[in-house]
Amino acid sequence: LAKTTQPISMDSYEGQEVNITCSHNNIATNDYITWYQQFPSQGPRFIIQGYKTKVTNEVASLFIPADRKSSTLSLPRVSLSDTAVYYCLVGDTSGNTGKLIFGQGTTLQVKP
Amino acid sequence: DTEVTQTPKHLVMGMTNKKSLKCEQHMGHRAMYWYKQKAKKPPELMFVYSYEKLSINESVPSRFSPECPNSSLLNLHLHALQPEDSALYLCASSQETRLAYGYTFGSGTRLTVV
């Protein structure tokens, strides 16, 4: 699986838009980019997944440039409850290994 | 039912004890996973089951023994653990072992080995 690099931590304030960028320079042609969110003492929760350009759901947007060597998770108008660790994962979604490997993640702290 | 249920939520065991962690899902998922997570660290994959067969063992010590009795249940049997095995143990499931299918995680079992 391609290695990912994210900032260790980020701070934001309530109501702001937060963008977390993930670098994945050796992403392969068949790889998709997936983001998970984890609150303390809970399991990770799937947020969004994409292959190229832009994907949006009710929770977040995912921006992927043409070269796909990075991606940006965008959280609109964050609240205190968005304080969590966010993981970027890259892997071949057509593969059958089931090896979902987590990187170090980004700890987002939202302040009032 | 869109949840993965793990029991117990907390477990304290001695190094000579034998205990089991239980994981249950009723989403019809055919892949199930065990992860271990230490404080301030990302989850680490331990085992993958696909269609009730063990498909991946990430070189986990034999004191951890997984079992998949049926497509809805996943157990992790623990024996002769060490204090450094204290961690949050997470179970997850997915439709199949493909990353395209979102993985659903349980809330975990917080294990303390004394």
Side-chain angles (χ1 to χ4, degrees):
Chain A
L1 296 174
K3 182 178 170 164
T4 60
T5 303
Q6 307 172 232
I8 297 294
S9 64
M10 292 181 70
D11 288 341
S12 183
Y13 290 93
E14 284 190 290
Q16 289 189 331
E17 178 184 75
V18 170
N19 296 309
I20 306 175
T21 297
C22 178
S23 172
H24 27 80
N25 290 320
N26 59 341
I27 189 169
T29 303
N30 291 333
D31 285 347
Y32 275 64
I33 301 145
T34 311
W35 286 79
Y36 281 77
Q37 173 193 57
Q38 186 177 24
F39 298 113
S41 296
Q42 291 189 27
R45 182 176 74 104
F46 174 91
I47 301 176
I48 197 166
Q49 183 179 78
Y51 183 81
K52 63 179 179 181
T53 62
K54 178 184 174 183
V55 179
T56 297
N57 61 24
E58 64 278 5
V59 176
S61 294
L62 180 59
F63 297 91
I64 306 167
D67 67 6
R68 305 197 331 118
K69 292 186 184 298
S70 66
S71 59
T72 299
L73 174 73
S74 181
L75 305 171
R77 297 179 301 282
V78 294
S79 64
L80 296 175
S81 62
D82 292 315
T83 294
V85 180
Y86 292 83
Y87 293 101
C88 165
L89 297 96
V90 173
D92 182 356
T93 55
S94 65
N96 252 342
T97 64
K99 291 185 72 164
L100 188 63
I101 306 297
F102 288 83
Q104 291 305 307
T106 298
T107 299
L108 172 65
Q109 179 72 49
V110 179
K111 302 175 181 178
Chain B
D1 187 352
T2 58
E3 288 188 345
V4 171
T5 302
Q6 290 188 244
T7 54
K9 293 197 182 306
H10 301 275
L11 178 64
V12 179
M13 61 184 290
M15 289 188 284
T16 58
N17 290 160
K18 285 186 181 180
K19 296 286 184 183
S20 295
L21 309 185
K22 181 180 172 181
C23 174
E24 194 166 2
Q25 57 88 15
H26 297 287
M27 295 177 280
H29 288 176
R30 303 313 302 267
M32 297 185 77
Y33 315 82
W34 281 114
Y35 281 80
K36 172 184 176 179
Q37 187 173 27
K38 304 280 277 185
K40 307 285 187 190
K41 297 292 186 182
E44 296 175 39
L45 181 65
M46 299 175 73
F47 303 104
V48 178
Y49 271 84
S50 178
Y51 288 84
E52 296 140 63
K53 287 186 169 36
L54 182 65
S55 60
I56 293 177
N57 176 341
E58 290 286 276
S59 302
V60 179
S62 60
R63 57 186 184 269
F64 295 92
S65 175
E67 178 197 20
C68 190
N70 59 56
S71 60
S72 299
L73 281 176
L74 185 66
N75 298 320
L76 185 63
H77 302 298
L78 313 172
H79 174 54
L81 295 193
Q82 303 297 312
E84 59 264 29
D85 295 321
S86 298
L88 180 67
Y89 288 83
L90 294 163
C91 173
S93 71
S94 62
Q95 192 170 336
E96 290 190 2
T97 57
R98 296 183 182 184
L99 301 181
Y101 303 118
Y103 286 43
T104 302
F105 283 82
S107 294
T109 294
R110 175 75 60 189
L111 174 69
T112 303
V113 181
V114 296

